[in-house]
Amino acid sequence: MTKSVGVMKIEEIIHNETPRLLVLFDRGQEDIVRVVAEVLGQRHVIVETLEGAAGQPDNAVLGLDNSLISQPQDIPTKSRTVITAHCIDAQDYRDENLTAFCDYEYLYTQKQFVRRDVARFMSFVLGQIKPHDDLRKKARTTLLSTTFPDIRAALPNLDILSVGADSVELRVDLLQEPTADSAVISVPSIMYVGEQVMLLRQRTELPIIFTTRCTKENGRFPMDDPMLFYTYLRKALQWGCEYIDVELWLPEGIRQKLASEKGSSRIISAWHDFSGRFKWSSAEAQQLFRDGAVYGDIVKMIALVNTTEENYELEYFRSIIQTTYAHPPLSGLNMGPVGRLSRTLNKVFTPITHPLLPMIAAPGQLSAAEINSTLHSMGQMPKLDMYAIGNVRHNGQAMFFEKCLNELSLPHQFLSIEQTSPSSIERFISRPNFGGAHINPPLAASAPYLPRLSNAATAIGQVDTVAAHTTPSGKLLIGDNATWKGIRATLTREFVPSAYAGQAALVLASHEAQAAAAIFALGSLGIGPIYTIGFKPKDSMGANIHQFRGVEDMKKVQEPLVIVSALPAEKSFVVSPLLKHYSHSANKPQSQRPGKVFVDLSNGVRGKGDSVATAASLGWTAYGIADVNAWTTVETLRLLVGQNVPFDFVRLAAGRSLYS
Ligand SMILES: O=C1C[C@@](O)(C(=O)O)C[C@@H](O)[C@@H]1O
C-alpha cells in the first residue's frame, strides 16, 4: 500500500483495519486478555457469555472464560476473530471440541517472552505482517529442515543453526513424543505437536513451515488415513504457522479445504519421487507442476536422481516453468549426491541443513555455507569488496560483519575505512569490485555521486547502506536507509502495527537529521500527530508534525503512545521528567491503560540517568540503542548480502561491548 504523508512517500504501511477480537481463556488466566489488548493497543472487556459480546465496542478486546461456554457451536456466529488461548504450563485445559469452532488457538507459557510472541502471532493472523510477500522479493530463499525428535534439543543453538535461513521447517513426522512406557508412537499427539510449535515460535522470528511428510516420501506419517494429515495441517493453520506443507497425493477435497481455510498462512504444495525413474523432461513433470499450482503458493518438486544430466534437465524444466507461469514459484530439486548441483541452483525455499542438526532431512542436503561456497567456486558468486565506512571499528560493527561472512562462507571481504571524505567514498563506489557499503554516520542523500536512492533514503535524506545488485544490464547501486527499518522492527516487537495507527508520538532531538529515520518509521506505522522537542521539523516531513515550544503546548495535546529520543547522551537528562509526566495514566485502572513505548536512539546515560531504565521502571516498554542497532544490522545484512541473520544471533554474537 502506498500512502502519502505530506511529501514523504511511504510504501510500507502494513496494517489495514481495526482488529476485532474475542479471546477465550482458561479459568484464572484472564491476564492473557490484558496482554493481547496491550499488544493491540486496545482496551479489554471481560464478558460473561457469548451473547454479552454482542453490544461491546469494536475496538476492545473481549475476553470470555471458556468454561462459561456451554454451546461451542455458537462461537463462530460472532462477528469477531475468535482465539482460544491456553497456558500450557498451568493446568492444561485444551479442548478440541471447542477449538474446532474457533479461528485460532494460541498456546503460551508464563515465561517472559510471551508478549513478543503474542505480538508476532497477532500481527500474522490479523494480516498485519506478510512474511510471504517479503520472502517473495528475495533473490534466494532457504528453509532450515529441523530433524529433532523433540524441538527442545534445537532451542539452545537455534540462533546459530538459523544463520542464513529464511524460514524453519518443523518436521512434525520426525517428532517423537515420549510415552510413559517409552514405547515409540508413530504419530505424535496434537497436544505434543502444539507445544512443539509454541516452543519453536518463542525462540525464532523466522516463519515456520509445518510439515507432515508421509512414509512414501521419506517421512513417517502413515498414509492409510488422509484425514490425519488434514487434522494436523488444519491445526497448524489455527496455530498461525506461516506455511503448511501439503503433499500433492492428498485427495483434492482435502487440499481444497485447506486452501479455503488458510487465512494468512501459505501453502507449499509438495511432491517427492524416490523411484529414481522420474524424468524432468516428461509431460508428467509439467502436469505435476500445474496440479501443485492449483492450491500451492509455492510448488515444490523433488526427485531422487542418479546422473548429473538430470540436473541439466531440471534446469531446463525450471526455465520453461518460469517463462510460462508467472505464479507460483517453483522449488525444484534433485536428491542424492549428484543432485547437490540443483540445490545450489534452486532459488526458492532451498532446504538447508546445518552440521549441528542430528541428521540431514534428505539425501544430498547442503548447509547455507556449503551452498555459498559452491556458488562461488562455480563462478556464480564473485568475490566482492564490501566497505564499512566511518565509526565502524571501535564499535565492533565491521568485525561483526566479517563474522557473518565467515559463518556463511561468503567469499567477500569487509574493508574498514575510518577516515573518509566524500570524495574517497566516491572512489570506493566506482571500483569494479565494489560490493556494497555500510556507512555510519550516514551520508546526506544529496551527495551527487550516490547512484539511485530508495524512497526511504530520499524521504529521510540519509544513506546508511549502498547495496550493489547484479542485473542483466550490469551492476545496479542503490543508496538505502536501514536505520528506519531497525527502528520500526523495534517498535513492532511487542506491539502489532495497527496499535500505532492514529496515535500521537513525541520525538526529541537536537536537530532534525538525528530524528529523520525515526519519523519515517513512525509514519510507516500510520502514527500521527508527531510532536517534536528540540528541533523544527522540515516542511517536507508532512503536515501532521508539530514542534512543542513550551510546556503549555504539551498540556493541550493528546498524550503520546511513543516517545523516541535521539538526544545525545549528555542531553538525555531531559527525557526522564517527560517520561514521568506522561506516566500519570499509570494510575488509571489497568483495563483502560494503554501500553506506552520508549526508544532511546542515543547511547544514553548509564545508571541513575539512564532513560531506558527510567521508562521501564515507570511501566513503559523501553528499548535502547542496542536493540535498534541489532535490528538495523539485520536489515543491513539483508540489503548488502541478501542473507538473513537472526536478531538474537546479532545480539549474541556481537558481544556486549558492541552497542553500548
Ligand atoms: O520437502 C523437503 C525437501 C527435503 O526433502 C529435501 O530434499 O531437502 C527435506 C524435507 O525436510 C523437506 O520437507
Side-chain angles (χ1 to χ4, degrees), residues 400 403 649-660:
F400 178 70
K403 213 181 260 188
F649 177 79
V650 179
R651 287 293 256 141
L652 174 99
R656 289 193 80 220
S657 63
L658 223 186
Y659 299 113
S660 46

Side-chain angles (χ1 to χ4, degrees), residues 143 145 169 171 211 213 245 272 300 302 333 335 343 351 361-362 365:
L143 71 89
S145 317
E169 176 185 55
R171 279 289 300 268
T211 301
R213 186 68 63 240
D245 176 299
H272 291 74
K300 179 158 72 178
I302 304 189
L333 297 166
M335 284 178 292
R343 291 183 185 265
Q365 251 192 359

